[in-house]
Amino acid sequence: KNMRKIQKERLESLDILRGLDLFILVGFQSVFMYLAQATGENNWIKTIFDVLFTHVEWEGFHLWDQVMPLFLFMAGTSIPYAMARYKRKEEEISGKLFYRVLKRVVLLWIFGAIVQGNLLDLNLNSLYLYTDTLQSIAMGYLFSVILFLSMPIKGLLITFFILPFIYTTGMLLTGGYTPGNNLAELIDRLVLGRFLYGATVTASGDVVFADWYHISWIYSTLNFTATVLSGVLTGCLLQSSDSPQKKVRLLLLAVLVCFLISFALSWIEPIIKRLWTSSMMFLSTGISVLLMLLSYYWIDIKKRGKNWKWLKIYGMNSILAYMLFHTLNTVSLREFWLHGFEHLIGDYYPVLLELAHVSIIFFILLYCYRKRVFLKV
């Protein structure tokens, strides 16, 4: 069964950081969005929401653009813990391991197709194949596991730098970063065709691509993998026998290197999250490593994470939290119990409905957490 009890020890700082990321994604941002809408234009709540909790249209970077990279980074951080016995040759790499990895990739792909790929339409004419965060995690995870099991740490580090080099070189040699006219989007259109998000087919059989959709997936898998690899390298360091002080110093160095590379690259390559450019990858990786460092220092070294342990409710069931938020329809339930508040709070009624929605998800996750039952793929 995919729902099973988990008993083995985990890196608590990783669970709490993952929980923070998921809480922002499925428990906070949407409520804050409705609150910003209710308060109207030209107020500080709307300004904060626009600056922090919306995606940049093209060039630039907001806090909200960090949620997905952090998700990928943490998927990588868990790999050394899950695969350590194979890396140390304590257990042979077997068909059972291949099945486990492949099952995870396939299930993540299916879940992503359910969320944003219209899989449940049961109609090929409306199906989109590569559209969701979970699918980018699936591909980054697959390649990172292969690399982790087949390379020494130095090889992983070199690969982490080679992948964005290949990405940026290809983009610069083929025309740059204009929306709708760049290598990354061209590859998606050529490979995915009708199955690219927003694409439609005319009566004559021509594929028409949406002029508003400029997110790349296939070519960006190079940097998806690099993002996951950054997590793998971080996990290897945290799992090592080095002293906590040395780990902190090395993580700080990694943060500095990533920020410097991102800054240097930004002179020739814009920071574009929609294309997952290398400059964006290094920036978001630097932020992810910094957040992991702070979490590790505060929770695992200083042992001061008691007040943050509630985030494990999200962090230890991150896939379930993500799927519930995107697929659980609670409209009838919320409106039946709360409709009487509409005439009392007016424009703030949608805020109450959304708060109820995320609260229902929280209590489902809390129940699963207390029963020690987690969705594992």
Side-chain angles (χ1 to χ4, degrees), residues 65-70 72-73 133 136 167 184 215-217 219-228 269-282 284-285:
D65 295 311
Q66 179 63 29
V67 171
M68 180 178 170
L70 184 58
L72 270 73
F73 169 85
T133 298
S136 67
Y167 176 98
I215 300 175
S216 71
W217 297 95
Y219 191 64
S220 294
T221 298
L222 288 167
N223 279 337
F224 293 156
T225 303
T227 301
V228 178
E269 177 184 72
I271 294 172
I272 304 174
K273 190 260 184 183
R274 292 176 181 271
L275 297 182
W276 215 272
T277 58
S278 299
S279 55
M280 193 287 299
M281 188 278 293
F282 280 110
S284 62
T285 293

Side-chain angles (χ1 to χ4, degrees), residues 109 112-113 117 124 127-132 135 191-192 195-197:
W109 201 279
L124 284 177
L127 178 66
Y128 303 124
L129 286 180
Y130 198 171
T131 62
D132 187 74
Q135 293 169 332
V191 176
L192 296 176
F195 299 102
L196 179 66
Y197 192 87

Side-chain angles (χ1 to χ4, degrees), residues 132-186:
D132 187 74
T133 298
L134 295 181
Q135 293 169 332
S136 67
I137 292 175
M139 297 309 296
Y141 170 83
L142 174 62
F143 294 124
S144 293
V145 166
I146 293 171
L147 292 169
F148 175 74
L149 294 175
S150 59
M151 284 186 174
I153 302 300
K154 288 183 179 179
L156 296 176
L157 183 61
I158 292 170
T159 304
F160 168 69
F161 288 107
I162 287 177
L163 293 176
F165 175 80
I166 294 172
Y167 176 98
T168 300
T169 301
M171 294 291 282
L172 291 174
L173 291 177
T174 55
Y177 303 87
T178 304
N181 187 26
N182 57 77
L183 178 63
E185 288 188 72
L186 176 62

Side-chain angles (χ1 to χ4, degrees), residues 11 14 18 68-84 104 108 136-148 153 156 160 224-239 288-289 292 318:
L11 186 64
L14 179 61
R18 186 187 292 112
M68 180 178 170
L70 184 58
F71 209 176
L72 270 73
F73 169 85
M74 291 184 292
T77 306
S78 65
I79 288 175
Y81 289 88
M83 304 285 176
R104 180 177 177 84
L108 285 173
S136 67
I137 292 175
M139 297 309 296
Y141 170 83
L142 174 62
F143 294 124
S144 293
V145 166
I146 293 171
L147 292 169
F148 175 74
I153 302 300
L156 296 176
F160 168 69
F224 293 156
T225 303
T227 301
V228 178
L229 269 182
S230 70
V232 172
L233 290 166
T234 300
C236 288
L237 175 61
L238 294 177
Q239 196 185 44
S288 295
V289 176
M292 188 69 244
S318 56

Side-chain angles (χ1 to χ4, degrees), residues 3 36 46 55 97 110 135 215 247 300 325 342 348:
M3 299 293 289
K46 182 68 163 61
H55 288 301
L97 175 62
I110 290 173
Q135 293 169 332
I215 300 175
K247 292 176 183 179
D300 289 313
F325 181 75
E342 185 171 10
Y348 291 89

